[in-house]
Amino acid sequence: MKVTKQDIKHIAELSRLYISDEEADKLCMEDIIAFADKLKELDTSDINPTNHVLNVSNVLRDDIVKESTDRDVLLSNAPQKARGCFAVPKVVE
Amino acid sequence: MNLYELTAHELSDMLKDKKISSVELCESVLDRIENTEDKIGGYVTVTKDEAIESAKEADKKIAEGKCGYLTGIPVAVKDNICTKDILTTCSSKMLYNFKPPYDATVVKKLKADGAVMVGKANMDEFAMGSSCETSYFKKTHNPYDLDKVPGGSSGGSAAVVAANEAICSLGSDTGGSIRQPASYCSLVGLKPTYGTVSRFGLIAFASSLDQIGPLTKDVTDCALMMNVITGRDSMDSTSLDIEYPDYTKALKCDVKGMKIGMPKQYLGEGISDDVKQSVLAAAKTFESLGATIEEFDMPYTDYALAAYYIISSAEASSNLARYDGVKYGYRAEEFSDLTDMYLKTRSEGFGSEVKRRIMLGTYVLSSGYYDAYYKKAQKTRTLIRNAFSDAFKKYDLILSPATTSTAFKIGEKISDPLQMYLGDICTVSVNIAGLPAMVVPCGFDKDGMPIGMQLIGKAFSEPQLIQAAYTFEQNTGFNKIKPCI
């Protein structure tokens, strides 16, 4: 499967990454996708996908209020904070 | 003999018998770190003061007769495992200043047992790599040959134990990241059955594949660590609610009647002669001890690697979407708006291997490619699980090499990602199937570089793995050949 410059631009945008032309070459994406294409040799028409190795489902807990973490502790790693919130550039115009 | 050269179980006996104190032992290891770290580079952070404090607490515990499995034992923890108020970086610029506000469950368990954490071990960035070369901070060196890699991504965890800069350590394994470094550094490494060790506090790479596990100097120490770290955890919804055994009860010398299968596909071209010879010799040793060995055809081994890189990259692209410079970690200094902040933060904060995997993952999940790649890989996953299931109808355990070669030179493979990935063929299928697998030293190549063999078992068969590995170890002694450092 050919991976074009346009593909890389599109994927980079989806990934919120800036990939320069030089970086794009070094990515070797086409080689790796070509390697992944090997799976086309397999007939999996009657096979269900494995989403989970375990037979666990619907792991829930009782709806009881438990201890929460202190807000200041949660803000301690913030690159920028203001008035008890994480500060970010304007989101809505 | 220096204290730092001994195993956890030997030291535990000495501590219980009051022959030494935890503080003495801790100081022995910390001194060793000071004298050796400049050559090995295995730690991102050495927690000297905290370690001495923990050692004092451990001494109190021992004096009260409350000795656990690892009380007073100096342990290293891979830097993708959250340690409260202590730098946890995943060896990435993205988390260069991150101090978690909580301990991972495995860390809580180590603390409750009285283990003494001496530092956070270096790794490949976000656990993506097989050589410890993608770390943002430093490259770690193999104690058996400082020009060679210790393996990855738990390269630091392996190197520090092999160099006696820790008595034992915790690593994490998504596609071989405990087992390959264990093989390269002559250690025992175990990837437990998926779900038996809590992932709460393990910074996620590929959530359906990741497992935390021990890297130790011998099988007994591995069993001790397993007793501490396994168990149901309500904070991890993939954690299993089962009966967890006392793994030390499996430390018996007996493989009589054990049926061991060797997949032909893991003994073909692509595996170096030295590795093949050592593993075949190990098979003969098992035979002489009463096990039966049989080579067999294991289907789909060729496809496991492709399936692994599709699934793990896809899950990684999703897990790493959280790194946006908003709540923690690196934030770019200059940006025009929110989207630009995300773009610059992520582009500046992530290294090239991480970006590669995010791009791959996004590609295989994107509209138009999802069915051909991700869904196809999930179906291949079923085929691989079934192949193992079929194999375990005939055999108790599967024996294979852990790696395709011994440790390579630093810089040799880093510019060829596909070459790097191809080294993982023996290990990835185990994570895909969620099975347990253990690596045990079984020889050395002509340059004195370690070789490990891999034993794979059914889900929850860690006791059988431990028993087989222990029997082999007690009858050979490869793990006793230490590096000259």
Side-chain angles (χ1 to χ4, degrees), chain B residues 456-479:
Chain B
I456 308 169
K458 282 197 278 260
F460 317 118
S461 65
E462 283 87 341
Q464 280 91 304
L465 289 173
I466 287 172
Q467 190 167 321
Y470 183 73
T471 310
F472 180 82
E473 177 191 81
Q474 295 297 305
N475 282 283
T476 51
F478 291 108
N479 65 315

Side-chain angles (χ1 to χ4, degrees), chain A:
Chain A
M1 178 80 83
K2 197 133 179 45
V3 180
T4 62
K5 271 210 163 98
Q6 197 50 33
D7 288 329
I8 295 195
K9 197 163 176 275
H10 171 60
I11 298 297
E13 207 179 303
L14 287 175
S15 315
R16 295 292 184 266
L17 288 173
Y18 172 66
I19 304 279
S20 67
D21 284 333
E22 204 193 312
E23 272 180 299
D25 290 329
K26 288 208 192 118
L27 277 180
C28 304
M29 268 189 73
E30 200 169 298
D31 290 339
I32 301 172
I33 296 295
F35 176 68
D37 279 333
K38 200 175 165 58
L39 294 187
K40 290 196 174 116
E41 294 168 18
L42 289 173
D43 178 11
T44 54
S45 41
D46 283 331
I47 307 288
N48 287 326
T50 294
N51 295 309
H52 211 311
V53 276
L54 305 173
N55 289 327
V56 197
S57 58
N58 300 335
V59 180
L60 303 170
R61 67 174 177 87
D62 292 332
D63 189 8
I64 301 168
V65 175
K66 291 192 174 167
E67 221 178 86
S68 206
T69 312
D70 181 58
R71 185 175 67 182
D72 286 335
V73 169
L74 293 175
L75 285 170
S76 60
N77 281 300
Q80 218 185 322
K81 54 194 168 205
R83 289 171 283 173
C85 300
F86 297 101
V88 294
K90 191 153 48 170
V91 180
V92 181
E93 284 300 320

